[in-house]
Amino acid sequence: MSVNQQAHTGPPYGQPQPGYQGYQQPAYGGQPLPGVPQSQYGAYNGPMPGYQQPVPPQGSLRAPPTSGAPPPASGASLPSGHLAYSQFGHGDVQNGIPTSAAPMQRPPASQPFLPGSAPTPVSQTSTFQQYGPPPASVQQLSNHMAGMTIGSTTASAPPPAGLGYGPPTSVPPVSGSFSTTGSGLYTPYTASQGPPPTSVSQGLPLAQPPFPGQPISTQRLPTQVPGFAPPPSSTGIGPSSYPPTTGAPRPPTMSGPPLPGQTAAGPPASQPNHVSSPPPPATMAGPHPGPHPGPPMSGLHGPPPPTHPPQPGYQMQQNGSFGQVRGPQPNYGGAYPGTPNYGSQPGPPPPPKRLDPDSIPSPIQVIEDDRSNRGSEPFVTGVRGQVPPLVTTNFVVKDQGNASPRYIRCTSYNIPCTSDMAKQSQVPLAAVIKPLATLPPEETLPYLVDHGESGPVRCNRCKAYMCPFMQFIEGGRRFQCCFCSCVTEVPPHYFQHLDHTGKRVDFYDRPELSLGSYEFLATVDYCKNNKFPSPPAFIFMIDVSYNAVKSGLVRLICEELKSLIDFLPREGNMEESAIRVGFVTYNKVLHFYNVKSSLAQPQMMVVSDVADMFVPLLDGFLVNVNESRTVIASLLDQIPEMFADTRETETVFAPVIQAGLEALKAAECAGKLFIFHTSLPIAEAPGKLKNRDDKKLINTDKEKTLFQPQTSFYNNLAKDCVAQGCCVDLFLFPNQYLDVATLGVVTYQTGGSIYKYAYFQLETDQDRFLNDLRRDVQKEVGFDAVMRVRTSTGIRATDFFGAFYMSNTTDVEMAGLDCDKTITVEFKHDDKLSEDSGALLQCALLYTSCAGQRRLRIHNLSLNCCTQLADLYRNCETDTLINYLAKHAYRGVLGSPVKTVRDALINQCAQILACYRKNCASPSSAGQLILPECMKLLPVYLNCVLKSDVLQPGPEVTTDDRAYIRQLVTSMDVAETNVFFYPRLLPLTKAEVDSDSLPAAIRNSEERLSKSDIYLLENGLNIFVWVGVNVQQSLIQNLFGVSSFSQISNALSTLPVLENSFSKKVRSIVDMLQVQRSRNMKLIIVKQEDKLEMLFKHFLVEDKSLSGGASYVDFLCHMHKEIRQLLS
């Protein structure tokens, strides 16, 4: 788009449309504020509520104020009750530096116009100026730039009288590029006050010259926080360090918040069709005392500030470091030096200066760089303390002594030698362990080692298992334990000579000596009651109450189970699965079915005494599928007919679990219950629940009760289930509140999974449910599992997160553990570590395979230790860090107010970054934000966690949704949390039809979207397909099979199968993404400006959220302020 091009004739994206009473209005109620013409509002959320829009009187410009108080109004007095700027005094704290000579004035550059509305003539005062916070991105700081010169201390002449603040005479472009001639111009740099230089580190503009020899690993991000000006021009920065202005090339890509005037995170200038994004919503702002220095209002003023209660978000910073309009800035020139306001162009225009919108660290860039740098070579695990490629990179692992990152990822691969150093850095030391992770076909599964009767070789003292780090001594007759240093005799059958290097001669023949991951066959000593286990059983328990039958769910489940029971998991070489199956149906009472192979027809037995649950039959309840196939098929045909006319609406729940548990006890085996449940269990029975949903508790100290179970009954039941090895998987189909926080307790503590299909409808949700059910039944799972993590001397495992039960402080117990579940373990120092020996972890999982074989799976990992903080920060893994922080926070909400949890998160991350700044970064001005290279995405990802539904729910998020997500995230692996918190956004129209690859992802911001394109966004639970209003008709025809935008149906749950290359490509992309995720994602079609767009925008995580979450730019400024407070 050329710099002077006019705005599009279509309505700017996200602007309220006539008759589309949306959620963009600051009041969020869908009703426009009184007296506000809709067209004046910016895209998406409108201007900051509570900022009245001052309009200076025509013809006279006030002298600048010299104190923090607003100057007297010339010719206009403020209405009583209205503060001079707003109720939120931003910028009134000047941090002890005197204010500058002139107030900063801001043109209405980000104000979109309704199509067809004539621009207001200059002589007339503009009604509602967007005086107030700059918009979150493209023009984030461009307008600041227009009002200040960098480094100059003299106030320039005000614009000619009469120009005032009227809107421009031509409609400003609403694209990501800035017009540079006809509108508010950037101040040219004169020779005496050159632009900031570009630092060696990452091409970032510095507020002072770079230090010689500065390490490449730091990122300098000069966020201008008010009260701290960049150094005056005496630092001698010459104009030559900026790119020449002819042709307006972009400065080098930078990572970090921009200088004032640097645009933040806009689209590249080559992408037209973007509107500047909106001013931030005020829900984050608590009222601040004090008036705002600045011009008073004359005549008109903006909408009155809505009385929002302070949200649990960040209090807005008083000195405006959130990107609000600031008070007069020290060392900054006055209003528009040399540049008149938009109306006319006296004097020659300054040279155009296009600023790079991508000036803060981009997740997309980091992911792409890692793919290109590390995707081609295999990751060989032979070296201690190597940081693996990112989870978003496809790479092959060669196990040479350390466990693959698919099994274990750490927050840091170089851990501090002392606890003092760990405390100082605040970097949590944690490992995210996925013991039964699925490997890609090109990697070898762990070898199974059988040591016969004697079992695995272990250390006498700490009981660690034989691994590559054990040291053989005395010619191989003994070994010294790498964990506790105890010396143990080598059993005679295990003896082997050593070679000249001290390695055993059979080193490469034994997986436990040469590989990081392997399995041992367990002996009878490792089994319950010292006897080998029976193969596990699966029990399908189907709710047959009115809702379940009427929705078609019961018939659907029965039809699917007929074929699904042929796909039960089995050991690699077995003909058929060893797993036995049983069937129960229930409403207020339970029905057990005898499906013994000798019967001609199944028999039903009813247990109506739910208070004292027992299993009415032993023989014939759990059967082999092949033997009883015809009886089972007959039963599954009959169940939908038997209950077709049911009128029973009430259900029980706890007795259903008890029944399954009793059946497994009677059969003396472990197993899994698959429970299909539809409603709150209010029928008279143990575990009966009441509806306690209460949105009014949000943001109060009692909010934590919403996440806690309403009775301890289920905790006790879970404990019994774990003892028996009874894992519970729960499929929920609620039409209203169901109390997931309570119903999920047993699932969560037994290591099971919850699946939730709210307002289940056969035609739209059936495929998703059936895909989930198939995968859940077929996936690899271990039963009756116990996991213990051993560490070398100096650190120990102190805390655990995930879906499990713990009866002591060391053993993680799970009735079931599947290939998708992770356990996150935190380590603390209990002694000093040494750089020479490093630190070791060994995760040992004892479990029963689906064939009933007792096994031990061992994963080993060696880490480096450091005495220098710089080494710690050089070897961190941000994705794993975020996984840990999210889980820690999500557990925190059970016991603390959400606001406390959020504040603790922000504080911990500020301390991590402040410690780096203080101890590792080269000295620089306080106005710069400096991030470690491997943590440069910490702020953006952390902001996503803070804005998530658990920690900051929007009005449409239900209590059940929050409890569901909280439990889901707690056992997610690093790849899942990565895409869950920062969704993947793909431009489908850019996909190459004839290649297998995905189109390059783009950043999660509304201004990256073009009206004429189609995008796909996925977060592991949903896939959105967003269609812009100006998409070519041929594309719509090819993808949806309809002839126009208006005919696209929102009700589609799958894309139509059409015979053209675009349709095939998009469907293959969707299939490719579905395969990568552990759950089938719900497909949602979103048309631009449709009511569903609000839901879609919730996932554009770099923008401000409706629920009050900060934009990425604002949050970066906020983090910078927090860091500076810690440093000062």
Side-chain angles (χ1 to χ4, degrees), residues 559-876:
E559 278 303 310
E560 179 60 29
L561 287 180
K562 278 191 227 170
S563 55
L564 190 55
I565 53 176
D566 286 330
F567 295 96
L568 302 177
R570 56 174 188 254
E571 293 295 334
N573 51 4
M574 291 174 62
E575 289 286 308
E576 60 177 63
S577 175
I579 292 174
R580 290 166 297 161
V581 297
F583 301 88
V584 173
T585 56
Y586 68 94
N587 41 45
K588 264 178 27 178
V589 297
L590 276 77
H591 323 106
F592 293 80
Y593 298 94
N594 184 344
V595 282
K596 198 172 177 183
S597 55
S598 56
L599 297 172
Q601 283 295 320
Q603 293 172 348
M604 172 181 183
M605 297 187 178
V606 180
V607 176
S608 51
D609 181 8
V610 289
D612 184 18
M613 188 41 65
F614 67 100
V615 180
L617 73 162
L618 286 179
D619 192 24
F621 179 62
L622 293 178
V623 295
N624 174 296
V625 172
N626 280 345
E627 290 168 11
S628 298
R629 181 177 305 281
T630 50
V631 195
I632 292 172
S634 167
L635 169 68
L636 293 173
D637 284 335
Q638 288 175 37
I639 287 175
E641 307 308 327
M642 271 191 292
F643 298 100
D645 301 324
T646 185
R647 285 279 164 267
E648 185 55 73
T649 56
E650 293 189 353
T651 56
V652 296
F653 184 71
V656 182
I657 298 175
Q658 287 172 323
L661 172 61
E662 292 303 323
L664 294 177
K665 270 187 188 164
E668 296 186 353
C669 69
K672 187 182 266 200
L673 312 182
F674 296 84
I675 301 180
F676 305 91
H677 189 78
T678 60
S679 59
L680 191 70
I682 54 173
E684 211 43 65
K688 170 186 171 177
L689 300 178
K690 59 181 192 289
N691 187 336
R692 54 162 186 163
D693 190 16
D694 187 0
K695 280 268 181 93
K696 291 200 281 296
L697 297 181
I698 292 178
N699 300 331
T700 68
D701 283 353
K702 288 196 175 155
E703 184 172 5
K704 55 180 181 257
T705 60
L706 297 176
F707 295 110
Q708 298 164 353
Q710 59 171 285
T711 158
S712 62
F713 181 87
Y714 289 95
N715 293 72
N716 298 328
L717 182 54
K719 186 177 168 184
D720 297 340
C721 287
V722 172
Q724 181 54 42
C726 166
C727 177
V728 180
D729 278 3
L730 194 48
F731 293 81
L732 297 172
F733 306 88
N735 290 331
Q736 54 198 21
Y737 179 69
L738 194 72
D739 203 348
V740 174
T742 307
L743 296 189
V745 166
V746 179
T747 299
Y748 183 65
Q749 294 194 12
T750 57
S753 306
I754 303 183
Y755 299 85
K756 182 164 158 288
Y757 311 89
Y759 308 108
F760 178 81
Q761 286 181 308
L762 218 52
E763 55 278 8
T764 53
D765 298 316
Q766 134 178 2
D767 290 347
R768 183 164 60 106
F769 160 59
L770 292 180
N771 280 316
D772 282 340
L773 177 60
R774 285 168 197 152
R775 191 170 186 283
D776 195 55
V777 168
Q778 296 173 40
K779 67 184 170 188
E780 183 188 354
V781 59
F783 294 94
D784 235 339
V786 184
M787 187 183 99
R788 181 175 284 195
V789 178
R790 291 178 174 82
T791 52
S792 54
T793 315
I795 53 170
R796 61 194 169 87
T798 55
D799 209 350
F800 301 85
F801 304 83
F804 52 74
Y805 174 79
M806 289 187 83
S807 55
N808 58 36
T809 55
T810 53
D811 295 333
V812 175
E813 299 172 48
M814 294 154 288
L817 172 69
D818 63 50
C819 55
D820 299 321
K821 295 282 184 301
T822 61
I823 293 94
T824 302
V825 186
E826 186 181 7
F827 303 98
K828 289 262 182 357
H829 286 76
D830 57 6
D831 204 348
K832 278 202 175 77
L833 295 164
S834 88
E835 281 186 284
D836 300 337
S837 54
L840 300 173
L841 317 177
Q842 183 178 80
C843 161
L845 176 79
L846 175 64
Y847 71 100
T848 302
S849 74
C850 56
Q853 203 176 48
R854 203 70 175 146
R855 294 183 178 178
L856 283 151
R857 180 168 288 201
I858 313 295
H859 298 295
N860 303 287
L861 186 63
S862 59
L863 303 172
N864 286 329
C865 295
C866 58
T867 52
Q868 298 297 318
L869 281 165
D871 292 330
L872 164 69
Y873 284 101
R874 210 171 278 132
N875 292 280
C876 286

Side-chain angles (χ1 to χ4, degrees), residues 206-231:
L206 283 175
Q208 69 175 68
F211 271 71
Q214 178 184 310
I216 302 297
S217 72
T218 59
Q219 286 231 331
R220 304 189 167 263
L221 314 178
T223 326
Q224 184 54 42
V225 176
F228 293 84

Side-chain angles (χ1 to χ4, degrees), residues 426-470:
Q426 285 288 312
V427 175
L429 306 176
V432 179
I433 306 174
K434 195 175 183 183
L436 298 179
T438 311
L439 297 183
E442 59 272 21
E443 292 177 24
T444 323
L445 290 170
Y447 290 99
L448 181 60
V449 178
D450 183 1
H451 282 315
E453 298 274 305
S454 58
V457 179
R458 304 175 69 177
C459 165
N460 269 345
R461 185 200 288 160
C462 71
K463 300 290 183 252
Y465 294 86
M466 180 53 66
C467 72
F469 312 119
M470 297 290 191

Side-chain angles (χ1 to χ4, degrees), residues 242 250-254 258 262-266 268 354-360:
Y242 218 74
R250 297 160 84 177
T253 305
M254 299 168 296
Q262 191 86 36
T263 55
R354 185 182 296 160
L355 291 154
D356 187 359
D358 296 306
S359 56
I360 49 180

